[in-house]
Amino acid sequence: MKCIRARAQAVALTTASTLLLASCSLGGGESEEASGGDGGTPTEVVLVTHESFALPDELVEAFEADTGLRLTQRAAGDAGTLTNKLVLTKDNPTGDVAFGVDNTFASRAVDEGVFAPYAPTLPEGAEAFALPGEGADVLTPVDAASVCVNIDDTWFAQEKLAPPTSLADLAKPAYRDLFVVPGATTSSPGMAFLLATIAEYGDDWADYWGDLMDNGAKLTDGWSDAYQVDFTQGGGEGDRPIVVSYDSSPAFTVDGEGGTTTSALLDTCFRQVEYAGVLAGAENPDGAEQVVDWLLSDEVQAALPDSMYVFPVSSAVELPADWARFAQQPETPYEVDPAEISANRDAWLREWSDITSR
């Protein structure tokens, strides 16, 4: 998702439905300075985002210099918490523009009328990440990353055990007690992994999860516990060489010999796309549109891998060397229609909780 994305492997992402306030309050009135002093054009634009949003200071300063706007950032938890807050405050929005609603929550925000129409010119390649169905005219794709099963290649080589390659393999006896996964009710990557299993197994997904648990899969509250504590390649003393992480993770386990010690299983991935949108009823809609345009700029798109550990949606920017070599993206990741997620999320999570708590 430090305050940088969990995929940077520094902080757990949580996908609880609770509405915990971040350190920066989302409330508060508009100052005279922010509203333009004499009630004219606002000089402040407020970006509401998740707690993992981070871009280099020089990019923010350049945006402010180019536009004459002061960019204020207000953190609101992870993608799920952010979406909940935006829905609850839709009649009195706490900012002008939002970033960080992803495809697992987008339909809820769209259905609730959180965002106003704005369709900027997309950079090359970004159209492939547009929100399917309703909402493409209010939400703009900014970045993408896929949640994938990762393995410790070094561990499997030392144990002379062939590593798994698919979701089905994870329930086989050969991999008993080797898999750790963040929970679907408490973690964004955990929810994404659940959706991958639903996409693969359809109505039989619950049986698959029963087999996983019977095979000794371990649940954690969040990604950081799974990757940094239990995973053997997470930098700690873990004892599980299979973990749910990201397609970008192998770029962060590069060894001193020009290789990487982990791999992402590209046939297990669920793609997450993060969007930006102008909030309906924004105090500064013009400034909000400028923020969306800025997030699509070459400068910001090129900064995303090192700043937030996600892939840019623009195919025109060059990836960092380690990313280009080791962070392979799946060609056909699992997908679930956002409308289907919206209609079934609560029921799926209740059933998942029942299975995993037996």
Side-chain angles (χ1 to χ4, degrees):
M1 303 195 178
K2 92 186 166 190
C3 221
I4 305 182
R5 177 158 314 277
R7 28 197 103 144
Q9 299 151 6
V11 64
L13 286 174
T14 59
T15 312
S17 296
T18 54
L19 303 176
L20 300 176
L21 288 175
S23 58
C24 296
S25 170
L26 296 185
E30 191 78 9
S31 69
E32 182 178 348
E33 177 188 359
S35 63
D38 58 358
T41 302
T43 58
E44 179 187 47
V45 59
V46 179
L47 171 64
V48 184
T49 184
H50 52 54
E51 62 190 0
S52 300
F53 179 81
L55 285 173
D57 290 343
E58 55 267 27
L59 288 183
V60 176
E61 292 166 0
F63 169 79
E64 293 179 329
D66 291 342
T67 63
L69 295 167
R70 177 164 55 86
L71 180 64
T72 298
Q73 301 173 35
R74 291 179 178 167
D78 76 342
T81 304
L82 170 64
T83 304
N84 287 333
K85 290 178 184 291
L86 294 174
V87 169
L88 288 176
T89 59
K90 65 179 182 179
D91 294 326
N92 185 25
T94 56
D96 301 301
V97 56
F99 164 79
V101 173
D102 68 22
N103 53 309
T104 67
F105 292 97
S107 58
R108 183 178 180 216
V110 171
D111 291 344
E112 294 286 346
V114 167
F115 295 101
Y118 180 57
T121 301
L122 296 178
E124 181 181 350
E127 185 64 36
F129 301 94
L131 186 69
E134 295 184 4
D137 61 334
V138 298
L139 285 174
T140 299
V142 174
D143 67 64
S146 294
V147 171
C148 310
V149 175
N150 276 225
I151 58 170
D152 180 352
D153 294 313
T154 302
W155 188 94
F156 280 100
Q158 291 174 344
E159 296 295 322
K160 296 180 172 58
L161 176 64
T165 61
S166 66
L167 293 177
D169 286 348
L170 301 179
K172 293 180 178 179
Y175 308 109
R176 180 178 299 277
D177 298 330
L178 299 184
F179 181 43
V180 57
V181 54
T185 58
T186 55
S187 163
S188 178
M191 179 64 184
F193 180 71
L194 170 60
L195 291 173
T197 66
I198 291 170
E200 170 66 16
Y201 293 102
D203 292 340
D204 296 327
W205 71 266
D207 293 335
Y208 172 76
W209 271 92
D211 293 341
L212 270 186
M213 300 309 295
D214 289 343
N215 204 42
K218 180 178 181 179
L219 294 179
T220 64
D221 285 341
W223 172 89
S224 63
D225 284 338
Y227 196 94
Q228 296 179 323
V229 177
D230 291 298
F231 185 43
T232 54
Q233 193 60 39
E237 300 295 327
D239 59 3
R240 294 190 175 236
I242 311 173
V243 65
V244 167
S245 193
Y246 292 90
D247 53 359
S248 58
S249 297
F252 299 97
T253 55
V254 177
D255 59 25
E257 300 177 359
T260 183
T261 58
T262 66
S263 297
L265 305 184
L266 299 182
D267 290 334
T268 67
C269 303
F270 182 88
R271 175 173 289 161
Q272 288 181 308
V273 180
E274 289 187 314
Y275 301 93
V278 177
L279 292 172
E283 290 283 340
N284 188 356
D286 291 338
E289 292 179 359
Q290 292 182 72
V291 171
V292 175
D293 292 342
W294 174 62
L295 293 172
L296 296 176
S297 67
D298 287 348
E299 294 77 13
V300 170
Q301 289 285 298
L304 289 172
D306 285 336
S307 298
M308 292 195 284
Y309 303 88
V310 290
F311 288 92
V313 294
S314 172
S315 59
V317 299
E318 186 175 349
L319 292 173
D322 284 343
W323 281 63
R325 184 174 180 187
F326 299 115
Q328 299 182 42
Q329 294 181 280
E331 293 184 3
T332 55
Y334 289 113
E335 294 181 350
V336 178
D337 186 270
E340 185 179 359
I341 296 172
S342 180
N344 295 286
R345 181 189 295 110
D346 291 345
W348 285 339
L349 288 176
R350 283 194 299 270
E351 187 169 4
W352 179 88
S353 296
D354 288 343
I355 295 166
T356 56
S357 60
R358 291 171 186 167

